[in-house]
Amino acid sequence: MKTLRRDPLVRGLGLASAALGVPQVARPADVARGIGVTAGPRQRTATLAVGVRELAAAGGLLARPHPVWLWGRVGGDIVDLALLTRALRRHDGRGLGRTALATAAVAALTAVDVYAAVTRTGRGSETTLTATTTVSTSPEETYAFWRRLEGLPTFMAHLEEVRRTGESTSHWRASAPFGRTVEWDAEVTEDVPGSLLAWRSLDGADVDNGGEVRFSPAPGGSGTEVRVTLRYAVPAGALGRAVARYFGEEPSQQLDDDLRRFKQAVETGEVVRSEGAPAGKRARGEFPQHPARPLTPKELKETLS
Amino acid sequence: MKATCWMGPDSVSVEDVPDPSILNGRDAVVRITSTAICGSDLHLVDGYVPGMQKGDILGHEFMGEVVEVGAGVDRSKIRVGDRVVVPFPIACGACAACRARLYSCCENSNPNAGMAEKMFGHPTAGIYGYSHLTGGFAGGQAEYARVPFADVNPLVVESDLDDEQVLFLSDVLPTGYMAAEMCDIGDGDVVAVWGAGAVGQFAMDSARMLGAAKVIAIDREPYRLEMAAAQGYETIDFEDTDVRSALLDMTGGRGPDKCIDAVGLEATHGAPHVALYDRAKQAVRAETDRPHALRQAITSCRSGGVVSVVGVYGGFIDKFPVGSWMNRSLTLRAGQCHVQRYMKPLLERIERGEIDPTRIITHRMPLSEAPAGYELFKHKREDCEKIVLSTR
Ligand SMILES: NC(=O)c1ccc[n+]([C@@H]2O[C@H](COP(=O)([O-])OP(=O)(O)OC[C@H]3O[C@@H](n4cnc5c(N)ncnc54)[C@H](O)[C@@H]3O)[C@@H](O)[C@H]2O)c1
Ligand SMILES: [Zn+2]
Ligand SMILES: [Zn+2]
């Protein structure tokens, strides 16, 4: 299960778009002449427009890969083929060979784009979640609390265990639906004490994922603004669908709740429990809750275990 | 233990439930000696507050003796054996809201904050016995209660005052006081108070204490108005009087300088067609709250005055007199009471004899009779103003 981000074909197409787009935007007249087309104002404008589109596709494919950019390329290819066919029909003969060659190249590229779009659609896709909160501790203290990765499971609902395995590596285990668990190794990719922590899963992860937390001083020195971004691949296949549904309950609500519990833990030293939501982090805000009355000894044992 | 439970709208019963125990390190368990029924509880029993579940323990006004404290409790603040009054909002003491002394807006104490946020835009504090929207905390109309953040919240009472003299520090006395304090009362101010329940009565006492020249009580229960009159306050019975004209009359045409809404979402209206209009809207959920007192307070208030709202609202209202509020430079202030702010200074006033909280108590009964108490209080039978339940 690969993310589009690390898919060589997708990256290749993104780089190809960039390679085409830059000269088209920078020197539209030369490009038009290069493919054997008269460089009149109409042709120059068309070339410039095509270049802008290529750069957009390049940006999309490289920065936020998604099948929609691949289909965008297919659509662009069709427009290009139409323009070139028109040029061929009205050709004055000078440089006809180069125009024909360009047309053939675009046709071939179209085939690759269609292949990529078809095969990459409905496979894995990536989901990004963000959440933010303000806590009354300093950026340094707040960062330090998060940096102790082993402590994350106390407030992050799905995490069961984070174990340190090296200087910058750790092993993570999270609960998945139907009593399953998913595991992965992760490495810290950026670490700026008091301001930034980023990590990503290493090859072989059950679910590719990564994230970052930014810590910045709140206005007036009144604490720390914490911004979390989580990315994970929603993989294809049965497990993938289950994971998607699982996270899909209300994924952003869950991250909000995780962050709320983080705030509770940092500020008060504990995750707050009530009779209605006695399990602390396992309380998923679902209804009905436990009634607002004390738990029986048996319930208590189950909850606190 | 025995506990008063919400079994559905209009259904309260005393049930056998497990004894509470420590859930968090900073909890204490309190053996309750006295507890009270509040106007807020009626909103739950009448089915106007969402997020109640069958079997929830009611009650947020209680006091008693500490019988257990968690390992994480700061024992210089509270110990086993201490006699404590417990404030109804649960505060963590550490978040920005608590540091700003806005305890009822604590950012950490409501484990169901996500739900509250959907309803209110931002979450609010946990409250005992007051729906799962405010956290799903077991209430205090019971023999025992678990008290979170025990080193932040309860007031330790060292003097030998009776339970009845200090019990209302848990809610209605500070709430009435905060209602008056939010009015920024100046010399010569006339203060009108809608609702002559416990909260309204204490708002009147506090307004006078803070310097009001004249206090006017508005209600339709003759015995409640008499209770206010006995303290020297003027009264308006809204059942048979047009409130706005009466207020203009009593203030030389100016209108009260400061107005307090101590009624909330279940207000009734003297004019049957107006009452019916909002009742129907509420029934079909076109509005969740009936804002008669609030509308009247806004339109009656003198230009530039303050409308202070402690009556509870839960959702949305219709026909809010926004033009009156905006064009006449009114200030609207509101809040669930930040009880922790007021407990100590008010305890000192009680100790000095400046306030007598017991004046509002009309009924005393054992906890086991709570359901009958709810009936009396809800239907205003036997001139019921405030019921204290005791476990002894
Ligand atoms: N803000 C807080 O922290 C806080 C704390 C406690 C109680 N409360 C709220 O304060 C309100 C009063 O509490 P209480 O215990 O005194 O309740 P209560 O039910 O004893 O008193 C309410 C009174 O309002 C009167 N009333 C109804 N409609 C009216 C109208 N249109 N005009 C004038 N009076 C009218 C009723 O006759 C009744 O006497 C409730 O909404 C309660 O939930 C708020
Ligand atoms: Zn109350
Ligand atoms: Zn707080």
Side-chain angles (χ1 to χ4, degrees):
Chain A
M1 285 167 271
K2 273 202 154 69
T3 58
L4 290 180
R5 188 180 296 279
R6 276 183 270 157
D7 184 328
L9 180 56
V10 174
R11 283 189 67 83
L13 289 171
L15 291 171
S17 281
L20 289 171
V22 170
Q24 282 168 339
V25 169
R27 325 194 61 156
D30 292 349
V31 171
R33 270 194 295 277
I35 60 166
V37 175
T38 6
R42 276 254 298 287
Q43 287 80 357
R44 277 208 307 272
T45 314
T47 309
L48 184 67
V50 169
V52 169
R53 192 199 68 212
E54 291 291 348
L55 288 182
L61 285 170
L62 295 175
R64 309 184 127 248
H66 190 278
V68 82
W69 294 112
L70 296 170
W71 286 111
R73 275 193 53 93
V74 172
D77 292 338
I78 291 166
V79 173
D80 293 356
L81 283 175
L83 289 171
L84 285 164
T85 315
R86 196 176 126 113
L88 277 177
R89 246 193 280 126
R90 305 186 175 177
H91 218 284
D92 61 5
R94 270 184 300 148
L96 179 62
R98 271 176 290 156
T99 312
L101 201 65
T103 313
V106 171
L109 202 55
T110 307
V112 178
D113 283 331
V114 169
Y115 170 78
V118 168
T119 53
R120 267 59 178 175
T121 300
R123 278 228 340 216
S125 60
E126 202 182 61
T127 296
T128 301
L129 300 175
T130 60
T132 178
T133 190
T134 299
V135 296
S136 52
T137 44
S138 72
E140 289 70 26
E141 293 167 291
T142 316
Y143 158 88
F145 196 95
W146 200 292
R147 186 66 185 82
R148 221 182 57 80
L149 299 173
E150 306 90 295
L152 300 186
T154 52
F155 60 87
M156 300 204 70
H158 292 290
L159 281 185
E160 285 174 0
E161 192 195 9
V162 179
R163 193 159 33 82
R164 200 175 275 266
T165 53
E167 186 70 10
S168 67
T169 53
S170 46
H171 186 77
W172 300 53
R173 196 176 75 236
S175 61
F178 317 117
R180 302 181 67 156
T181 54
V182 287
E183 305 198 26
W184 65 91
D185 286 305
E187 67 172 351
V188 170
T189 53
E190 282 179 277
D191 189 354
V192 186
S195 81
L196 169 66
L197 186 65
W199 66 92
R200 69 177 165 83
S201 59
L202 297 170
D203 285 343
D206 286 341
V207 178
D208 277 341
N209 68 86
E212 65 174 46
V213 196
R214 289 180 183 275
F215 308 88
S216 52
S222 56
T224 304
E225 292 178 1
V226 181
R227 290 187 171 75
V228 182
T229 306
L230 286 189
R231 283 179 288 271
Y232 57 90
V234 182
L239 175 64
R241 276 196 298 279
V243 170
R245 203 179 316 127
Y246 189 57
F247 283 100
E249 297 164 354
E250 268 266 21
S252 62
Q253 174 75 56
Q254 280 182 25
L255 184 56
D256 282 349
D257 288 345
D258 283 345
L259 214 51
R260 248 194 268 282
R261 284 186 288 266
F262 166 72
K263 180 175 159 73
Q264 291 169 6
V266 174
E267 292 185 339
T268 77
E270 56 187 30
V271 171
V272 177
R273 299 161 186 268
S274 70
E275 285 70 21
K281 73 160 189 166
R282 267 168 293 148
R284 292 254 178 77
E286 69 225 5
F287 261 83
Q289 296 193 320
H290 187 275
R293 58 161 72 178
L295 283 72
T296 61
K298 185 162 161 280
E299 290 171 326
L300 206 60
K301 234 173 88 194
E302 280 167 15
T303 306
L304 299 180
S305 72
Chain B
M1 67 167 179
K2 300 252 180 260
T4 311
C5 296
W6 187 92
M7 304 305 280
D10 261 323
S11 167
V12 172
S13 75
V14 174
E15 307 264 310
D16 275 309
V17 302
D19 285 350
S21 53
I22 305 281
L23 275 183
N24 274 117
R26 288 175 67 191
D27 292 347
V29 175
V30 171
R31 184 179 62 79
I32 294 166
T33 50
S34 298
T35 170
I37 304 177
C38 175
S40 299
D41 295 325
L42 294 181
H43 306 323
L44 308 176
V45 170
D46 294 344
Y48 288 112
V49 177
M52 288 299 289
Q53 272 181 236
K54 186 172 178 185
D56 288 351
I57 301 178
L58 291 165
H60 56 267
E61 305 183 359
F62 60 97
M63 63 176 297
E65 185 195 330
V66 177
V67 291
E68 193 183 348
V69 295
V73 171
D74 177 351
R75 276 146 221 251
S76 69
K77 301 273 166 54
I78 189 168
R79 284 193 206 95
V80 169
D82 280 350
R83 183 165 173 246
V84 292
V85 182
V86 180
F88 78 85
I90 300 170
C92 77
C95 70
C98 285
R99 288 174 179 208
R101 309 189 77 207
L102 295 162
Y103 300 100
S104 70
C105 301
C106 173
E107 297 160 7
N108 284 325
S109 62
N110 182 352
N112 296 330
M115 282 182 235
E117 191 176 63
K118 284 203 184 80
M119 191 83 181
F120 300 140
H122 289 273
T124 50
I127 299 179
Y128 300 95
Y130 207 67
S131 89
H132 291 252
L133 208 62
T134 62
F137 289 94
Q141 285 162 14
E143 290 179 307
Y144 293 88
R146 182 181 69 92
V147 173
F149 300 115
D151 43 14
V152 174
N153 291 299
L155 171 77
V156 179
V157 181
E158 266 141 17
S159 51
D160 54 3
L161 293 166
D162 290 343
D163 274 16
E164 290 185 354
Q165 286 173 291
V166 291
L167 172 63
F168 300 139
L169 287 169
S170 59
D171 177 355
V172 286
L173 177 56
T175 300
Y177 186 86
M178 183 168 108
E181 192 191 62
M182 287 193 294
C183 288
D184 281 336
I185 294 169
D187 273 352
D189 273 357
V190 177
V191 179
V193 179
W194 276 256
V199 173
Q201 300 284 347
F202 286 141
M204 296 173 215
D205 293 352
S206 305
R208 182 160 59 190
M209 213 154 61
L210 293 173
K214 175 146 89 178
V215 176
I216 302 169
I218 302 152
D219 204 304
R220 68 162 178 188
E221 302 298 333
Y223 70 95
R224 294 188 168 203
L225 291 173
E226 274 161 32
M227 198 172 226
Q231 299 301 309
Y233 310 131
E234 297 184 20
T235 62
I236 299 174
D237 183 342
F238 72 82
E239 192 70 35
D240 54 24
T241 318
D242 178 64
V243 174
R244 192 173 161 276
S245 355
L247 284 171
L248 288 180
D249 199 44
M250 292 156 100
T251 56
R254 302 185 307 276
D257 302 281
K258 309 288 158 67
C259 295
I260 292 173
D261 172 355
V263 178
L265 63 90
E266 290 190 72
T268 48
H269 197 282
H273 63 280
V274 181
L276 196 66
Y277 170 84
D278 284 285
R279 213 169 234 295
K281 287 220 129 185
Q282 198 175 31
V284 300
R285 296 290 181 263
E287 63 182 349
T288 54
D289 303 0
R290 300 195 299 261
H292 304 301
L294 180 59
R295 285 188 196 129
Q296 222 166 48
I298 291 173
T299 49
S300 305
C301 192
R302 185 181 187 181
S303 290
V306 177
V307 177
S308 159
V309 183
V310 287
V312 163
Y313 293 89
F316 303 90
I317 59 167
D318 185 19
K319 300 210 166 14
F320 177 80
V322 63
S324 176
W325 167 55
M326 185 271 155
N327 288 287
R328 300 194 304 107
S329 295
L330 297 180
T331 300
L332 208 51
R333 300 185 68 180
Q336 290 283 3
C337 185
H338 307 296
V339 177
Q340 289 84 339
R341 257 195 227 166
Y342 304 103
M343 292 180 97
K344 247 214 175 88
L346 287 175
L347 173 65
E348 283 161 13
R349 282 188 194 262
I350 296 169
E351 284 167 346
R352 290 198 298 266
E354 292 169 34
I355 314 172
D356 174 19
T358 62
R359 79 167 181 87
I360 63 162
I361 302 172
T362 51
H363 291 73
R364 297 165 174 89
M365 24 180 105
L367 178 68
S368 55
E369 286 171 29
Y374 270 90
E375 280 296 297
L376 280 185
F377 185 50
K378 172 173 172 158
H379 299 288
K380 317 242 170 10
R381 295 199 188 112
E382 295 179 15
D383 290 358
C384 181
E385 173 82 6
K386 187 75 176 174
I387 300 175
V388 174
L389 303 167
S390 105
T391 56
R392 281 177 291 206

